[in-house]
Amino acid sequence: MASLLAFFHVSTQAELFWVVFGFLAQLLFTGRFLIQWLASEKARQSVVPVAFWYFSMLGGVMLLAYAVHRSDPVFILGQALGVFIYARNLWLIHREWLASNVRFTALTGKSQSAGWFLPALLLVVVITLLRWLVLAFNRTDLFVDETQYWLWGQNFELGYYSKPPMIAWIIGTVTGLVGSDTPVWVRMPGAALHGITALILGALANRLHGPRTALWVVAAYLTLPAVGFGSIMFTTDTVMAPFFAAALLFHRRLLDNGRIGDALLTGLMAGLACLSKYAGVYFLIGVAIAALWRRDMRLSWRNAAAMLGAAIVTLAPNLVWVVLNGSVTFSHTADNIGWVRKSSMFEGLNLIGALEFVAAQFAVVGPLLFAVLIATLARRRDGLVAFTLPVLVIVIVQAIMNEALANWAASAYLAGTIVAVAALETRPKLRQAAIGTNAALCIALGLITVLPIPGLDGQPLLRRFMGREAFSLQVIDEARREGALAVIAENRSILADLFYTGRDTGLHFYSVPPTGRSMNHYQMQYALPADTAGPVLWVTSGTVPPCAGEGRTLDTDGGAYARRIIKAYRTDAACVVTR
């Protein structure tokens, strides 16, 4: 590896990756002329095959990404204009294909099943590369969940405090392969996973409704605001999505052909979805509801048992880990649900919370597409409704009983995207308006991660995702100035970023020991040992005992900790342990 780095005049594996990426981009870009030449020789006249534009587009976008990485304005300007021209040519080519497919369907009553995948793949590749480009300029810090997932990924386990392990495995694998832990590499899998999900949903839509709908489904999914967010901030919903979508596809194949192989693949994908986020269980709930609702969606007992068995076997190692670790993940889930901890499940009903959750879905799915989906669910007998409506009902009930975050129904919109787009087949202008609106929202979201656009209060719109690294660096500097070898905090958000930002500082980071059961990963794994001695820096916004002495107020302006008073105390470790 050292000789390879020296040969290309780079010093890190991350830079080596970009060199290889640039060579591949140039190979694709130059290869278009070889394809055009061979096609012309075959036709005995000068022709421009469709593949020429595909290679131009793919190579052009990759070269644009490389140019941005190199900060070369001449290179950037040249490739940006070319990408627009290539995209326009491909749009004209495939608009004609879509029109011919409509004419073919009108004449024969059948739909041409081929032809959707290549334009869909191109759309996925281009949008994924553009989203990676936005990541290169993203000015937000890793959020508390992202830094926690990164920390988990430093040690592969079968489970972690609050989530199943898939997201940690992916982050650990990617950052390990490229040799870099920067936010770009932590977040980079998100856009790729959503691209894969879009193609899987396209394959399912093609099987159910034909290639025209398949291509629109790919475009609709890629432009969902939730997908735009999940391509910039790495979440467990993003990791779950391709496995959940694959389970839907294999389930459809199983219904069509009854093969036990598809039953096993369905169960495997469902199990992997649950290993990504426990909301993957909604797939199995949907299978059961679909079987009760429609006779043509019922599985044989053999196939149902094979599917369920494969799912359980896939998830079993994680469940064993949870049990062996005091069922902490189940306890955390119960804390999030909330009402299961109450003396009465009907105590403190939250009707306003349910309305807020429903309103938030217009931002998650997009205003027009969500309105179409809701209108469609009430009257359509599409089998995919069983994987959409029950999830929404369950989460709305949860919102009434306690609360529900906006993303808790994310799995509903995998099948829901197909349902909504299929319903718009006879309303092309509304379909274009819905997808266009969502695309504009995704572009706006990307822009506010790059530009510090202020809100009405003068603070950046994404201030929750900013100022975390600066605050951690301030704490680290304070610890060094005070001669402390360890930093103690009780706030999960502060600890999460300290572990990430301070990963190469040689300092130790600990949580204040819990007084009861552990309430987060840091209390469970990194509580301050009782035998720790010597000076430590205690960072807290709470009340401290007299032994902590006088604290120094830290600067919290302009970011996630704005308007909060957080102090740093140089004290002895025993003061924290015996507080």
Side-chain angles (χ1 to χ4, degrees):
M1 180 62 72
S3 59
L4 197 59
L5 294 173
F7 178 80
F8 287 110
H9 303 287
V10 295
S11 56
T12 66
Q13 291 183 34
E15 281 300 315
L16 179 61
F17 168 85
W18 278 108
V19 171
V20 174
F21 182 86
F23 274 123
L24 178 60
Q26 190 62 59
L27 180 64
L28 289 170
F29 198 65
T30 305
R32 64 187 181 146
F33 293 115
L34 177 61
I35 289 173
Q36 192 271 335
W37 173 52
L38 292 175
S40 296
E41 290 292 343
K42 183 177 181 180
R44 295 298 179 183
Q45 61 179 326
S46 181
V47 296
V48 181
V50 176
F52 174 88
W53 298 111
Y54 278 112
F55 273 70
S56 297
M57 188 67 181
L58 183 56
V61 172
M62 291 176 68
L63 284 173
L64 177 60
Y66 182 74
V68 171
H69 172 70
R70 303 288 296 180
S71 301
D72 186 328
V74 176
F75 203 179
I76 291 171
L77 182 62
Q79 290 300 328
L81 179 61
V83 166
F84 173 78
I85 295 171
Y86 311 144
R88 179 59 180 167
N89 274 278
L90 283 167
W91 170 251
L92 293 173
I93 291 168
H94 289 291
R95 184 175 66 178
E96 176 60 26
W97 172 80
L98 288 172
S100 67
N101 183 260
V102 171
R103 291 193 295 270
F104 180 85
T105 303
L107 289 172
T108 66
K110 299 178 181 180
S111 179
Q112 296 170 302
S113 61
W116 71 273
F117 184 75
L118 278 179
L121 179 61
L122 177 67
L123 184 64
V124 165
V125 170
V126 170
I127 290 180
T128 300
L129 289 172
L130 289 174
R131 281 171 168 161
W132 283 347
L133 194 62
V134 170
L135 278 183
F137 291 92
N138 193 324
R139 297 182 60 180
T140 63
D141 297 326
L142 292 180
F143 192 54
V144 52
D145 292 332
E146 293 175 299
T147 48
Q148 178 175 268
Y149 302 148
W150 168 84
L151 182 61
W152 291 352
Q154 305 311 295
N155 296 285
F156 285 17
E157 303 284 352
L158 293 174
Y160 300 94
Y161 175 84
S162 57
K163 297 287 193 301
M166 188 66 74
I167 191 167
W169 293 350
I170 291 174
I171 292 174
T173 299
V174 171
T175 55
L177 286 174
V178 300
S180 174
D181 293 307
T182 60
V184 171
W185 292 110
V186 172
R187 289 169 166 167
M188 186 168 277
L193 290 172
H194 276 308
I196 293 169
T197 303
L199 292 175
I200 295 172
L201 291 178
L204 178 57
N206 181 54
R207 179 176 284 267
L208 292 172
H209 303 290
R212 182 181 177 87
T213 300
L215 191 53
W216 282 112
V217 163
V218 172
Y221 180 79
L222 288 173
T223 54
L224 291 180
V227 170
F229 181 84
S231 299
I232 297 172
M233 311 292 179
F234 201 25
T235 70
T236 51
D237 290 317
T238 298
V239 179
M240 176 185 68
F243 299 116
F244 200 108
L248 290 171
L249 176 60
F250 286 124
H251 177 252
R252 183 68 254 175
R253 283 177 38 172
L254 177 60
L255 291 172
D256 291 342
N257 58 42
R259 296 173 185 160
I260 194 167
D262 284 324
L264 293 172
L265 286 171
T266 303
L268 173 63
M269 293 300 117
L272 292 173
C274 291
L275 277 178
S276 304
K277 186 175 183 178
Y278 292 127
V281 75
Y282 285 134
F283 171 78
L284 297 176
I285 293 174
V287 169
I289 291 175
L292 292 172
W293 179 37
R294 288 178 48 165
R295 184 181 297 275
D296 62 333
M297 296 194 72
R298 293 174 186 171
L299 303 176
S300 68
W301 286 108
R302 184 195 68 164
N303 285 338
M307 179 195 70
L308 186 59
I312 292 173
V313 169
T314 304
L315 186 58
N318 173 251
L319 298 178
V320 171
W321 182 94
V322 171
V323 172
L324 293 178
N325 284 269
S327 300
V328 291
T329 311
F330 297 152
S331 296
H332 173 78
T333 303
D335 291 338
N336 283 342
I337 294 174
W339 55 266
V340 298
R341 301 288 193 193
K342 297 178 181 179
S343 56
S344 170
M345 63 183 296
F346 299 107
E347 177 187 339
L349 296 182
N350 184 18
L351 294 177
I352 298 298
L355 293 175
E356 290 175 345
F357 169 78
V358 172
Q361 302 314 292
F362 286 93
V364 171
V365 184
L368 295 177
L369 203 63
F370 185 67
V372 170
L373 177 60
I374 292 301
T376 304
L377 290 176
R379 56 183 172 80
R380 194 176 180 92
R381 286 189 55 80
D382 191 318
L384 291 179
V385 169
F387 299 93
T388 304
L389 184 58
V391 179
L392 287 171
V393 171
I394 290 171
V395 181
I396 290 172
V397 170
Q398 163 63 27
I400 294 172
M401 303 298 288
N402 189 59
E403 66 173 352
L405 299 183
N407 69 310
W408 283 9
S411 66
Y413 306 125
L414 296 164
T417 299
I418 300 177
V419 172
V421 171
L424 289 172
E425 186 61 36
T426 57
R427 307 283 298 276
K429 291 185 178 180
L430 180 57
R431 178 180 58 202
Q432 292 175 20
I435 295 175
T437 300
N438 284 357
L441 290 173
C442 286
I443 292 171
L445 179 61
L447 287 176
I448 64 176
T449 67
V450 174
L451 304 173
I453 300 174
L456 296 177
D457 58 356
Q459 294 288 328
L461 288 172
L462 293 181
R463 61 182 176 272
R464 289 184 66 206
F465 303 91
M466 303 177 75
R468 295 177 181 274
E469 181 184 25
F471 181 83
S472 293
L473 290 173
Q474 182 185 178
V475 171
I476 290 166
D477 288 343
E478 185 72 13
R480 286 171 169 165
R481 184 166 46 249
E482 295 292 348
L485 294 176
V487 178
I488 318 299
E490 69 265 14
N491 184 286
R492 170 176 168 262
S493 181
I494 292 174
L495 281 168
D497 199 84
L498 280 173
F499 273 95
Y500 176 74
T501 303
R503 59 192 180 275
D504 298 322
T505 62
L507 293 173
H508 299 285
F509 304 104
Y510 296 107
S511 168
V512 171
T515 54
R517 69 180 177 89
S518 297
M519 299 303 294
N520 58 55
H521 173 72
Y522 305 97
Q523 289 185 356
M524 184 176 80
Q525 295 288 353
Y526 298 101
L528 180 66
D531 58 354
T532 304
V536 298
L537 190 72
W538 187 359
V539 179
T540 180
S541 58
T543 307
V544 298
C547 61
E550 291 294 323
R552 177 176 175 272
T553 302
L554 300 171
D555 182 7
T556 57
D557 288 341
Y561 306 111
R563 302 187 182 91
R564 293 179 58 182
I565 298 175
I566 303 175
K567 294 185 176 183
Y569 300 83
R570 184 190 188 279
T571 186
D572 191 88
C575 180
V576 183
V577 173
T578 61
R579 72 195 189 286

